[in-house]
């Protein structure tokens, strides 16, 4: 009869219960003579009970409390005078005791994996006195394990790698499952491993969980990853055991088991002959199924006729072979090249050398294409020399260029004027002969670097460039001169034969043997009694005194002409004048002062006179400043109107005209001849802007008689006034006459009255009346609209 999983589990529980009951029969209280018991007030007695372990089955699923065991004391006569109490772990909460009978029961489901045993203490008490009749004893309740936990892979899922082409039995990874059941009781925690998915490539050791390869020559290039499912089952793998699974991802790592192979046996590329050196001609690549370092390549040219013309290198990122040019290509010299190129793995694995050579070759043919090239000079640089004394038009040298193409077009020459801005040279367009166009001076420019252009006659866009370095040869055309501006002094207490100056010379020329200068005094200065010259024969000369007793009062400056000759052929000479000042010196011969006027009394004004003149000038400036200040204050108005409401303001322009010289603003005759009554005239310096058409015009003839009388009165007063200014001045009077036809223009009455007078015509009088038009107008822009 075959039992199912559930029936087998119940069967095992019944067996465990049987074992538990048989153990409890041994654990009941019995008389023991091992230890004495002392009780106060009584004689020594022997211990009446001992304890053994109790066992209880875990995961009990019954409805009634689970019977654990029974406590009994020899003192208990069964008359109910003894009661039993329980304390310790789980007392009252998990384990209860019948105080009359001593029966112990478990009230909750127990799990050994949570707690494997409980330690409790039991005691028998007299029910009346509540005093112990037996000493307290400790006992243990152990939880009996059942197979209720499946194995678990705590570290799963797993990932691992193994090299491809590994032999059978190569260890990949070890998996470990743990079972929470008791490993010391039965087979509940004894685990066995098996593989559910991943055959026939891998296997697993049943006891250790080590995964190994099961097939040889597994190729990463065919399949690089495998997913395994590993099972762990307890009860030693028997039926009824619990199991758990995990996944293992195994990746095949690469090894160098594939040689490189070119996809094609031959390649062909076309390149122009004008391609510069170091340019890329082609990129080729050998295929390799491996990856990473196993696919790294090395390329080299093993044969062909372009070994010195081309080279090949590897691109580290793409592992391509890059063919570049090492020398210039020339279609007229060679039209094609053939290269045999080999590709090989950088690091070969000796285990796989038997599979064949880990290299491959291919043929590359390079076709050179003809292009129209510019003319080429016979030399990259033409060094030339010419004397700076050469005449204009003399030949310096010749350059030559030719067309490298098969057409061999004629070449015309010219000078790049950006390299010869001063146009010192010319070149014959047909022959390439370079001649001088101007006089040359080595001291101005010793070397001329010019660029010669050569262009094809048939295609002027093709231009070649040649470089010419013209060195100007020196001739002796510059006379020597002092090396610097000397400041020579002689002390008044100088002694005869004393050296007062050492001089040298310079020459702009550069003779091949170096400079050699000769110094002497001129013929006129040879017989002077003051100074002499000594040539030191080392391009220097010394100036010496011939006498003593120099006096600044007698002569403060001496001029000594010196004759200098160079060693050129022909030699050149020059006369340079040395200025020597007489100075007052201290005891060490150091000049203190060289001013001759310090001993001469001034012939001009004295210091006191100069101070007096300066004081007068300052006083005059102060008076002028005071007068200007007073005149400015006199012109300031006496009454300052504060800003008021705009309706009560009188617009003031402060226009005083141009003075007496402004004869265009008004007629001066009105003041000179008061008997003349003139018609109203318009200003001749102002052009009328607007014709007054919006209002009838009235001919305004002021009453000149009133103003004439007013002016005569004021004129008489000014003539007899002793305080009047003693010069012509402008007198201003605030006299407005007797009235106006337009009556009052004040706005004080117009606001309070119901006047219907229209002032819109003010806007037609021009910009000078715009303010009044804004104040009194009735248009949309009026201030009071």
């Amino acid at each position: 009869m075959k039992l199912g999983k559930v029936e087998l589990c119940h069967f095992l529980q019944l067996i465990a219960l049987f074992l538990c009951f048989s153990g409890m029969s041994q654990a009941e209280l019995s008389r023991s003579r091992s230890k004495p018991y002392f009780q106060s007030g009584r004689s020594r007695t022997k211990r009446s009970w001992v304890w053994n372990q109790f066992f209880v089955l875990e995961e009990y699923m019954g409805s009634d409390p689970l019977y654990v065991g029974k406590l009994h004391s020899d003192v208990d006569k069964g008359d109910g005078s003894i009661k039993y109490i329980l304390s310790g772990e789980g007392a009252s909460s998990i384990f209860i005791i019948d105080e009359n009978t001593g029966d112990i029961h478990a009230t909750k489901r127990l799990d050994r994996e949570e707690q494997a045993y409980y330690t409790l203490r039991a005691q028998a008490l007299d029910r009346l006195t509540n005093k112990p009749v037996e000493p307290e004893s400790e006992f243990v309740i152990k939880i009996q394990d059942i197979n209720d936990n499946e194995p678990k892979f705590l570290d799963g899922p797993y990932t691992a790698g193994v090299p491809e082409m590994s032999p059978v039995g190569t260890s990949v990874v070890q998996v470990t499952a743990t079972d929470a059941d008791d490993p010391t009781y039965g087979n509940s925690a004894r685990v066995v491993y098996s593989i559910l998915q991943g055959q026939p490539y891998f296997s697993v050791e049943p006891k250790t969980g080590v995964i190994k390869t099961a097939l040889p020559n597994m190729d990463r290039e065919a399949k690089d990853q495998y997913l395994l499912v590993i099972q762990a089952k307890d009860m030693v793998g028997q039926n009824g055991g619990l199991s758990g699974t995990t996944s293992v991802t195994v990746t095949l790592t690469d090894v160098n088991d594939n040689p490189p192979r070119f996809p094609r046996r031959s390649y062909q590329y076309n390149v122009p002959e004008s391609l510069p050196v170091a340019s890329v001609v082609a990129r080729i690549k050998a295929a390799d199924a491996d990856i990473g370092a196993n696919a790294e390549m090395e390329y080299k040219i093993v044969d062909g006729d372009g070994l010195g013309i081309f080279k090949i290198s590897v691109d580290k990122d793409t592992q391509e072979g890059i063919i570049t040019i090492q020398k210039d290509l020339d279609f007229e010299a060679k039209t094609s090249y053939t290269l045999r190129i080999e590709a090989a793995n950088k690091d070969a694995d000796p285990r796989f050398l038997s599979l064949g050579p880990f290299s491959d070759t291919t043929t590359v043919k390079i076709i050179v294409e003809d292009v129209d090239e510019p003319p080429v000079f016979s030399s990259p640089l033409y060094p030339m020399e010419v004397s700076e004394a050469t005449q204009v038009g003399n030949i310096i040298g010749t350059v030559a260029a030719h067309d490298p193409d098969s057409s061999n077009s004629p070449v015309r020459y010219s000078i790049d004027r950006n390299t010869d801005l001063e146009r010192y040279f010319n070149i014959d367009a047909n022959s390439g002969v370079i001649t001088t166009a101007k006089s040359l001076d080595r001291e101005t420019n010793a070397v001329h670097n010019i660029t010669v252009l050569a262009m094809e006659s048939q295609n002027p866009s093709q231009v070649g460039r040649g470089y010419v370095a013209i060195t100007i040869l020196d001739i002796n055309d510059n006379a020597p001169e002092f090396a610097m501006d000397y400041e020579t002094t002689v002390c008044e207490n100088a002694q005869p034969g004393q050296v007062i100056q050492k001089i040298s010379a310079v020459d702009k020329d550069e003779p091949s043997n170096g400079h050699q200068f000769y110094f002497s005094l001129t013929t006129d200065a040879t017989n002077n009694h003051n100074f002499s010259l000594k040539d030191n024969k080392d391009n220097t000369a010394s100036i010496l005194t011939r006498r003593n007793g120099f006096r600044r009062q007698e002569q403060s400056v001496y001029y000594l002409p010196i004759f200098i000759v160079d060693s050129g052929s022909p030699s050149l000479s020059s006369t340079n004048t040395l200025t020597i000042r007489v100075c007052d010196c201290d005891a060490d011969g150091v000049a203190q002062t060289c001013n001759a006027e310090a001993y001469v009394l001034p012939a001009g004004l004295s210091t006191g006179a100069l101070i007096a003149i300066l004081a007068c000038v300052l006083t005059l400036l102060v008076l002028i400043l005071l007068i200007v200040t007073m005149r400015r204050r006199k012109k300031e108005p006496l009454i300052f109107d504060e800003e008021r409401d705009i309706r009560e303001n009188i617009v003031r322009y402060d226009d005083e005209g141009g003075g007496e010289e402004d004869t265009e603003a008004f007629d001066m005759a009105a003041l000179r001849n008061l008997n003349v009554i003139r018609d109203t005239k318009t200003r001749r310096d102002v052009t009328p802007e607007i014709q007054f058409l919006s209002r009838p015009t009235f001919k305004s003839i002021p009453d000149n008689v009133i103003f004439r009388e007013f002016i005569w009165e004021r004129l008489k007063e000014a003539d007899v006034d002793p305080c009047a200014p003693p010069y012509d001045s402008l007198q201003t009077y605030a006299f407005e006459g007797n009235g106006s036809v337009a009556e009052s223009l004040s706005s004080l009455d117009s606001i309070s009255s119901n006047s219907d007078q229209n002032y819109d015509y003010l806007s037609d009088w021009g910009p000078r009346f715009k303010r009044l038009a804004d104040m009194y107008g009735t248009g949309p822009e009026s201030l009071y609209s």
Side-chain angles (χ1 to χ4, degrees), residues 51-117:
W51 302 100
N52 291 328
Q53 291 183 349
F54 287 119
F55 295 91
V56 62
L57 194 66
E58 70 169 335
E59 304 293 347
Y60 173 70
M61 304 299 293
S63 59
D64 297 330
L66 178 64
Y67 180 76
V68 178
K70 183 179 181 64
L71 301 180
H72 182 71
S73 174
D74 292 342
V75 182
D76 188 1
K77 303 301 182 181
D79 55 359
S81 62
I82 302 299
K83 70 175 181 179
Y84 299 93
I85 62 173
L86 194 65
S87 62
E89 293 180 322
S92 300
S93 61
I94 299 177
F95 302 100
I96 60 175
I97 187 171
D98 190 327
E99 64 179 9
N100 296 319
T101 63
D103 292 335
I104 301 174
H105 290 81
T107 61
K108 293 184 178 181
R109 182 174 62 87
L110 302 176
D111 188 359
R112 189 202 68 83
E113 286 72 37
E114 293 182 0
Q115 189 166 347
Y117 62 90

Side-chain angles (χ1 to χ4, degrees), residues 274-292:
S274 59
L275 200 65
V277 173
S279 299
V280 177
V281 175
R283 302 173 76 100
I284 60 175
K285 183 177 181 180
D288 193 329
D290 297 323
I291 59 175

